[in-house]
């Protein structure tokens, strides 16, 4: 372990000393100044040897081992010193609180004793007290000594206690000094609770006075807790970095209520897609969740601007999720997701979500006919294995209330029922994690490997899927008919994984790019109600490295491809029979991972191409397609120029995995259009692009 000092003028760190503490790692540290104007500092360390090691030294370093505190029977997880405790206006003691995996919390008192007397070789006799029977070792610092004793043992948590922290000092004047240490400790545990401990006024015995916690079955407990500077709020962080906030809103009596906090993915975000009308963004991640973000419209947003929140978590899965697509067209909101499994899963929105979305967007949403029937889907329950989500019907909610009274026979395998509700304000983590699930309506079997890419046509009639592949057979693209969800086609062209697919604006063509450095264009024709025909129009080796992304012109049959070879190429389908290269953009500084083309008007054939790179940077290129004079409508050329290079501080810090514009309907007559991006840095970002500024 190393001790550093900060030189504020030059903002430099200087290493004062390096301490070697043995073979067992230390995982908790706390540093404090000893009371009594000695100028000495005490350092507490705890780790895997179940002991608290105390070192004493000066501000210039030279820390010496002082003593050990024994008592915990498992790893030490957290340590925290209080400010000096004053008696008669003089600081004469300091408290150290420790927590451990033995589920216990210990408070140690370090009281200043008389100065060392070399002639007598003894200490001044003090009054007998309970502490004298449980006195610990003596800590010597220069000419002063401190008697260490166990002040209290706090038992209340049922699992490992990961964090303890003293309430921040108050600036109110007490006993003539400008601050004092409130006698209040916050603890956070893996038993999914946080507790506040305070001494009882009369007896001085430390008691648990407040307990708050995440009661959802899917929470894995809290890894740490923290006070706000004023002490009226407490924040916990749990598995996956989720935040949980409570605030004391009581006036005369404590009343700790949960508060809204930011949320997001805790692993790389692999895919994003806008809702068909742009009301929300759907994202999937390797954290095995699907999340919905929307701009919550309320009175405050009219003044301060839009406020984006996670409003639902429709899928909590048992596998990393790689891809997603929203089913376009009329009817209920539906999406298809693919994970590290051979099955694609179809989900449908619940009645509670539609009403929540109505509150979020301040719009009147017409509910689909199937949800207005006698059987309405209100929400969804998670299965015991965390793979399927079963629907909860409206009339079944009353039955569930009766069934829940089952003589209290709860076991470790018991999965509590979700309680879906219409939300009138952005939800908190407890609601998101369990009560906003969507039911799974279908499973699509056919692929032999893990799903990798999905897309849906603009009419909402076909969904295309691909999986990880190292052979031509596994690299087949499957076509699924929306509604019946039958497989209606298997398109063969590539020999390795198809990395992305996209339908043209008129759904007459399907573009696919692959790890085999080729792209393929298929023609899609509907020959009947349930039948389609397809044919390979063109296949071409387009780049020198893997092709990661592709995107169609929303108003034509031109498309762009982006590759690991750091290039973007613009292609055109020539008179519906072949594909020709229009231009190659100047080479980029990093591999091109994501592309998205948006049109700015059908007549002008102008648009923006968003380019996302492995470095995390994003650029917007202005594209203008020039049509041939023969009246065929085919492209004769394209003009391209850099419109905007986004500030690196606004971009991702790792690879951009997907880019998605809000949609052609939104961009036709709007001066501001929104671009969503997701990346390997666990982030989803939404940019608002001013069309007039970008064009200039």
């Amino acid at each position: 372990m190393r001790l550093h000092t900060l030189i504020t003028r030059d903002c430099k760190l200087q290493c004062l000393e390096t301490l070697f503490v043995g073979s067992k790692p230390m995982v908790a540290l706390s540093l404090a100044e000893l009371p009594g104007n000695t100028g000495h500092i005490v350092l507490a360390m705890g780790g895997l040897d179940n002991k608290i090691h105390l070192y004493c030294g000066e501000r210039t370093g030279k820390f010496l081992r002082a003593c050990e505190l024994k008592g915990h029977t498992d790893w030490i997880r957290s340590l925290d010193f209080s400010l000096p405790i004053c008696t008669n206006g003089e600081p004469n003691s300091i408290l150290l609180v420790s927590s451990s995996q033995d589920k216990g919390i210990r408070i140690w008192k370090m009281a200043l004793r008389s100065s060392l007397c070399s002639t007598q070789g003894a200490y001044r006799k003090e009054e007998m007290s309970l502490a004298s029977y449980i006195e610990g070792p003596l800590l010597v610092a220069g000419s002063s000594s401190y008697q260490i004793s166990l002040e209290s043992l706090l038992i209340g948590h049922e699992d490992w206690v990961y964090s303890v922290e003293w309430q921040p000092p108050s600036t109110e004047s007490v006993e003539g000094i400008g601050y004092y240490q409130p006698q209040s400790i916050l603890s956070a545990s893996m038993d999914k609770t946080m507790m506040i401990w305070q001494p009882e006024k009369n007896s001085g015995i430390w008691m648990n006075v407040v307990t708050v916690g995440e009661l959802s079955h899917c929470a894995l407990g809290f890894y740490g807790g923290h006070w706000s500077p004023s002490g009226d709020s407490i924040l916990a962080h749990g598995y996956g970095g989720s935040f949980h906030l409570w605030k004391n809103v009581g006036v005369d009596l404590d009343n700790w209520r949960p508060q809204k906090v930011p949320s997001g993915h805790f692993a790389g975000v692999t895919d994003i897609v806008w809702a068909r009308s742009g009301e929300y963004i759907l994202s999937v991640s390797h954290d095995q969740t699907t999340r919905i973000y929307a701009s919550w419209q309320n009175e405050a947003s009219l003044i301060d601007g839009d406020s984006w929140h996670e409003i639902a978590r429709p899928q909590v899965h048992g596998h990393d999720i790689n891809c997603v697509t929203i089913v376009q067209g009329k009817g209920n909101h539906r999406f298809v997701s693919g994970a590290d499994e051979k099955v694609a899963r179809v989900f449908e929105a619940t009645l509670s979500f539609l009403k929540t979305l109505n509150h979020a967007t301040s719009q009147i949403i017409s509910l689909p006919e199937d949800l207005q029937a006698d059987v309405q889907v209100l929400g969804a329950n998670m299965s015991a294995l965390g793979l399927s989500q079963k629907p909860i019907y409206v009339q079944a909610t009353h039955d569930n209330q009766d069934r829940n009274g089952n003589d209290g026979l709860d076991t470790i395998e018991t999965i509590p029922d979700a309680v879906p509700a219409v939300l009138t304000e952005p939800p908190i983590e407890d609601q998101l994690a369990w009560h906003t699930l969507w039911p799974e309506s279908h499973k699509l079997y056919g692929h032999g490997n893990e799903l990798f890419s999905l897309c849906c046509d603009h009419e909402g009639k076909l969904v295309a899927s691909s999986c990880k592949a190292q052979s031509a057979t596994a690299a087949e693209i499957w076509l699924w008919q929306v509604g019946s969800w039958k497989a209606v086609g298997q398109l063969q062209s590539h020999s390795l994984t198809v990395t992305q697919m996209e339908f043209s604006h008129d759904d007459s063509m399907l573009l696919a790019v692959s790890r085999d450095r080729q792209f393929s264009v298929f023609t899609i024709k509907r020959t009947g109600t349930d039948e389609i025909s397809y044919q390979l129009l063109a296949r071409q080796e387009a780049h020198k490295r893997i092709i990661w992304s592709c995107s169609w012109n929303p108003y034509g049959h031109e498309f762009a491809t982006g590759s690991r070879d750091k290039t973007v190429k613009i292609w055109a389908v020539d008179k519906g029979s072949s594909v020709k290269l229009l231009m190659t953009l100047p080479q980029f500084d990093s591999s091109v991972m994501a592309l998205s083309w948006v049109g700015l008007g059908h007549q002008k054939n102008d648009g923006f191409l968003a380019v996302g790179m492995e470095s995390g940077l994003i650029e917007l290129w202005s594209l203008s397609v020039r049509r041939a004079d023969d009246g065929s409508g085919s492209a004769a050329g394209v003009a391209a120029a850099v419109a905007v290079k986004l500030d690196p501080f606004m971009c991702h810090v790792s690879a951009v995995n997907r880019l998605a514009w809000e949609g052609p309907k939104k961009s036709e007559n709007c001066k501001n259009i929104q671009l969503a991006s997701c990346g390997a840095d666990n982030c989803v970002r939404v940019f608002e692009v001013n069309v007039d500024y970008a064009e200039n």
Side-chain angles (χ1 to χ4, degrees):
M1 192 207 67
R2 293 185 175 182
L3 296 172
H4 297 265
T5 185
L6 178 64
I7 304 174
T8 56
R9 179 174 297 178
D10 298 328
C11 295
K12 294 181 180 179
L13 282 173
Q14 179 181 353
C15 180
L16 293 179
E17 192 169 357
T18 300
L19 303 177
F20 297 95
V21 295
S23 59
K24 296 294 182 69
M26 297 290 110
V27 296
L29 297 171
S30 187
L31 195 67
E33 185 173 1
L34 289 168
N37 297 319
T38 64
H40 285 78
I41 294 175
V42 59
L43 171 66
M45 295 184 290
L48 277 57
D49 60 358
N50 310 343
K51 303 174 185 178
I52 300 173
H53 303 269
L54 296 180
Y55 284 73
C56 188
E58 301 175 354
R59 292 185 179 275
T60 57
K62 300 179 182 179
F63 277 74
L64 300 176
R65 185 183 182 89
C67 59
E68 294 178 353
L69 303 181
K70 300 179 181 179
H72 287 293
T73 59
D74 208 334
W75 294 359
I76 310 295
R77 280 295 178 179
S78 182
L79 297 167
D80 191 32
F81 277 111
S82 71
L83 288 178
I85 307 299
C86 295
T87 303
N88 299 325
E90 293 294 331
N92 59 3
S93 64
I94 191 171
L95 298 177
L96 171 67
V97 61
S98 62
S99 67
S100 166
Q101 290 183 186
D102 62 10
K103 309 176 187 178
I105 300 170
R106 292 173 179 260
I107 303 176
W108 311 84
K109 184 176 182 179
M110 303 171 61
L112 176 65
R113 302 193 65 171
S114 61
S115 299
L116 286 173
C117 181
S118 58
T119 57
Q120 298 179 0
Y123 300 103
R124 179 168 55 88
K125 187 69 176 179
E126 295 184 352
E127 295 181 1
M128 296 296 293
S129 65
L130 177 62
S132 64
Y133 292 98
I134 52 177
E135 285 182 349
L138 205 65
L139 185 145
V140 178
S143 61
S144 300
S145 64
Y146 299 82
Q147 179 64 60
I148 302 177
S149 60
L150 180 63
E151 176 79 3
S152 186
L153 173 62
L154 310 183
I155 301 296
H157 286 294
E158 298 177 355
D159 209 333
W160 299 353
V161 185
Y162 258 88
S163 171
V164 283
E165 185 178 277
W166 289 96
Q167 182 176 338
S170 172
T171 56
E172 297 178 3
S173 178
V174 176
E175 298 182 356
I177 60 175
Y179 65 90
Y180 80 101
Q181 173 67 64
Q183 297 294 285
S184 186
I185 295 173
L186 174 67
S187 62
S189 169
M190 288 296 288
D191 65 4
K192 310 170 189 175
T193 64
M194 282 203 303
M195 295 182 179
I196 297 177
W197 307 82
Q198 294 176 354
E200 203 270 331
K201 292 183 179 180
N202 297 323
S203 65
I205 298 175
W206 285 78
M207 306 288 291
N208 169 29
V209 296
V210 175
T211 301
V212 296
E214 169 69 73
L215 302 179
S216 171
H217 86 283
C218 55
L220 296 181
F222 296 142
Y223 289 93
H226 188 61
W227 291 94
S228 67
S230 59
D232 62 350
S233 298
I234 52 178
L235 178 71
H237 65 92
Y239 173 73
S242 59
F243 288 125
H244 310 256
L245 177 67
W246 288 267
K247 185 175 183 179
N248 187 4
V249 297
V251 179
D252 298 324
L253 298 175
D254 286 350
N255 182 16
W256 293 85
R257 307 295 299 173
Q259 306 292 312
K260 296 185 292 290
V261 290
S263 64
H265 292 286
F266 60 91
V269 187
T270 51
D271 205 355
I272 52 171
V273 61
W274 285 90
R276 56 196 178 198
S277 299
E279 310 101 310
Y280 58 83
I281 297 172
L282 190 92
S283 64
V284 296
S285 166
H286 283 166
D287 67 6
Q288 304 183 353
T289 64
T290 300
R291 305 182 187 226
I292 291 178
Y293 301 94
S295 174
W296 197 282
Q297 306 287 339
N298 52 28
E299 292 80 3
S301 67
L302 298 177
I303 301 174
D304 302 329
D306 294 345
S307 176
W308 284 79
H309 298 271
E310 182 182 352
I311 65 169
R313 202 169 294 170
Q315 183 184 11
V316 178
H317 203 37
H319 296 288
D320 295 358
I321 307 176
N322 298 323
C323 51
V324 69
T325 186
I326 283 184
V327 178
Q328 305 296 323
K330 299 179 180 180
N332 192 12
H333 295 255
R334 291 174 290 183
F335 72 87
V336 185
S337 68
D340 277 344
E341 56 180 347
K342 303 174 184 180
V343 183
R345 300 175 185 267
V346 185
F347 296 85
E348 297 199 16
T350 62
L351 187 63
S352 58
F353 170 79
L354 294 175
K355 292 182 178 180
T356 297
L357 187 62
N358 186 24
H359 285 288
T361 58
S362 300
Q363 298 174 356
I364 299 176
I365 300 176
S366 58
L367 301 183
E369 295 180 359
D370 58 340
L371 294 184
Q372 300 182 43
D374 295 335
V375 179
Q376 297 179 341
V377 179
L378 185 64
N381 273 324
M382 175 67 71
S383 68
L385 294 178
L387 295 178
S388 298
Q389 296 168 193
K390 305 301 181 182
I392 301 174
Y393 298 103
V394 172
Q395 73 272 19
T397 55
H398 305 290
D399 300 336
N400 287 340
Q401 294 175 359
D402 299 335
R403 182 171 60 85
N404 288 338
N406 55 356
D407 301 327
L409 299 178
D410 290 335
T411 66
I412 193 170
E413 292 85 7
T414 300
I415 302 298
D417 288 333
V419 185
V422 179
L423 304 173
T424 57
E425 61 180 10
I428 60 176
E429 179 67 25
D430 185 25
Q431 296 168 316
L432 288 169
W434 186 237
H435 303 302
T436 59
L437 296 172
W438 290 15
E440 179 184 310
S441 61
H442 294 85
K443 295 182 178 69
L444 309 183
Y445 296 95
H447 288 289
N449 296 320
E450 298 88 344
L451 271 292
F452 196 85
S453 179
L454 287 163
C455 72
C456 180
D457 66 359
H458 299 81
E459 293 185 11
K461 295 182 179 180
L462 284 177
V463 169
S465 62
S466 70
C467 71
K468 296 179 182 179
Q470 292 184 342
S471 66
T473 302
E476 289 179 339
I477 299 171
W478 284 60
L479 298 180
W480 309 88
Q481 186 180 55
V482 174
S484 66
W485 296 109
K486 296 179 180 178
V488 293
Q490 294 172 244
L491 284 59
Q492 294 184 347
S493 177
H494 296 283
S495 58
L496 294 175
T497 304
V498 174
T499 54
Q500 190 177 359
M501 302 170 292
E502 188 173 308
F503 284 92
S504 62
H505 71 284
D506 56 2
D507 294 333
S508 64
M509 299 181 192
L510 175 64
L511 171 65
V513 294
S514 168
R515 283 179 174 268
D516 62 12
R517 309 174 185 180
Q518 298 179 336
F519 69 77
S520 297
V521 178
F522 298 88
T523 58
I524 307 293
K525 295 182 180 179
R526 292 172 176 82
T527 58
T529 305
D530 298 331
E531 297 180 358
I532 67 166
S533 65
Y534 49 87
Q535 183 177 0
L536 179 62
L537 175 66
R539 179 179 62 211
Q540 184 171 334
E541 184 169 340
H543 292 268
K544 298 178 181 179
R545 303 290 298 276
I546 294 172
I547 307 177
W548 283 122
S549 56
C550 62
S551 185
W552 283 99
N553 178 2
Y555 297 117
H557 287 162
E558 299 78 38
F559 62 88
T561 58
S563 167
R564 181 178 282 178
D565 64 9
K566 304 180 183 180
T567 63
V568 172
K569 296 183 179 182
I570 312 297
W571 309 80
V573 179
D574 189 18
K575 299 180 181 179
S577 59
S578 62
V579 175
K580 64 179 180 180
L581 176 64
L582 293 181
M583 75 172 302
T584 301
L585 299 185
Q587 190 171 34
F588 293 87
D589 295 331
S590 181
S591 300
V592 177
M593 302 291 293
L595 296 173
S596 186
W597 195 333
V598 65
L600 301 178
H602 182 68
Q603 298 298 325
K604 295 189 296 182
N605 296 306
D606 292 340
F608 285 135
L609 179 66
V611 181
M613 287 168 273
E614 191 175 26
S615 62
L617 299 180
I618 299 174
E619 296 183 5
L620 301 184
W621 283 71
S622 176
L623 299 181
S624 181
V625 179
R626 186 176 72 257
R627 300 294 174 187
D629 298 331
D630 57 5
S632 62
S634 60
V638 60
V642 179
V644 177
K645 290 186 178 181
L646 272 63
D647 191 314
F649 290 103
M650 298 172 58
C651 299
H652 297 270
V653 296
S654 189
V656 180
N657 286 332
R658 191 74 76 223
L659 294 167
W661 291 99
E662 194 169 2
K665 293 182 180 179
K666 289 278 185 176
S667 62
E668 287 180 1
N669 299 311
C670 294
K671 292 186 177 180
N672 294 319
I673 53 178
Q674 291 181 327
L675 172 68
S677 67
C678 67
D681 59 357
N682 310 354
C683 290
V684 175
R685 298 177 181 268
V686 181
F687 305 94
E688 187 163 270
V689 179
N690 184 288
V691 175
D692 294 335
Y693 173 81
E695 285 182 330
N696 295 329

